[in-house]
Amino acid sequence: MKLLLCHLIDLKFIEACLRCLRTVFISPITPVQLLYTDAAVIPHLMCLLSRSQRTQEYICQIFSHCCKTSEHQTILYNHGAIQNIAHLLNSSSYKVQMQALKFFSVLAYENPQVSITLVNVLVDGELLSQVFVRMMQRDKSIEMQLTAAKCLTYMCRAGAIRTTDNCIVLKVSI
């Protein structure tokens, strides 16, 4: 991880390092707590998000896999993960969209603070809940529809969205 903290590294090298880190962190034998041991890592990964679609995909996947507890959710939330990742839901890359969507599902899981924040997030002028609804349309992949539904479900369970809200009622009754 120390190599990634250097700012004078080639993009291909950064992508290769992130791909390697992703592989390490998705391994069931790697303790996810390693991501949180150095306070400089999360902010630096947030800075690398804008480098390329691959960095976006890999970082979202790392965050998704390493967000296991409410403490992890809080750390990512406090480092601006919502603002830094929300716009990735409108990416032209399906892989980036899916990893960002998966990230929001683990970030909102049983977390009222995050879920309430998500309700008020705008993504290119559209409420995040409406982005999730759009991602549930039939022209989207089954994986995307189910993950978007999971995000809305977690937000509803946390009390951030009422069960009578149109984004819930209209999608359930169809």
Side-chain angles (χ1 to χ4, degrees):
M1 285 207 216
K2 295 291 184 190
L3 286 175
L4 283 175
L5 296 176
C6 177
H7 297 287
L8 303 173
I9 298 178
D10 178 59
L11 178 60
K12 294 289 184 192
F13 184 70
I14 291 171
E15 291 173 351
C17 289
L18 287 171
R19 190 171 40 251
C20 180
L21 281 175
R22 176 196 64 182
T23 302
V24 168
F25 279 115
I26 63 174
S27 169
I29 61 172
T30 303
V32 296
Q33 192 59 33
L34 286 176
L35 184 67
Y36 305 97
T37 56
D38 184 344
V41 172
I42 302 292
H44 187 68
L45 289 175
M46 292 292 180
C47 290
L48 291 175
L49 273 169
S50 63
R51 297 296 297 266
S52 73
Q53 288 183 344
R54 286 190 180 112
T55 62
Q56 294 167 349
E57 176 189 347
Y58 301 151
I59 291 169
C60 285
Q61 195 169 15
I62 290 167
F63 287 164
S64 295
H65 190 75
C66 294
C67 189
K68 302 286 188 192
T69 67
S70 60
E71 180 185 344
H72 298 159
Q73 291 169 321
T74 301
I75 291 169
L76 292 167
Y77 172 83
N78 288 340
H79 280 95
I82 293 172
Q83 297 79 10
N84 286 306
I85 295 177
H87 73 280
L88 300 181
L89 293 169
N90 287 336
S91 172
S92 60
S93 166
Y94 174 80
K95 290 180 178 182
V96 171
Q97 286 179 332
M98 277 309 304
Q99 293 308 321
L101 195 54
K102 288 176 182 179
F103 170 74
F104 281 113
S105 74
V106 298
L107 195 67
Y109 180 70
E110 295 184 353
N111 194 319
Q113 177 190 12
V114 170
S115 294
I116 289 168
T117 301
L118 291 178
V119 168
N120 298 312
V121 170
L122 289 175
V123 181
D124 298 332
E126 185 178 22
L127 285 173
L128 188 60
S129 58
Q130 292 306 310
V131 173
F132 293 152
V133 169
R134 186 170 31 85
M135 294 177 116
M136 291 171 57
Q137 294 175 348
R138 292 176 192 249
D139 65 331
K140 306 298 184 197
S141 72
I142 296 296
E143 179 186 26
M144 182 175 283
Q145 291 178 47
L146 291 173
T147 308
K150 188 188 296 188
C151 291
L152 287 172
T153 300
Y154 292 157
M155 291 168 67
C156 188
R157 284 182 184 166
I161 299 176
R162 295 181 329 271
T163 56
T164 57
D165 192 293
N166 281 343
C167 71
I168 301 297
V169 174
L170 295 177
K171 293 314 275 186
V172 172
S173 63
I174 292 177

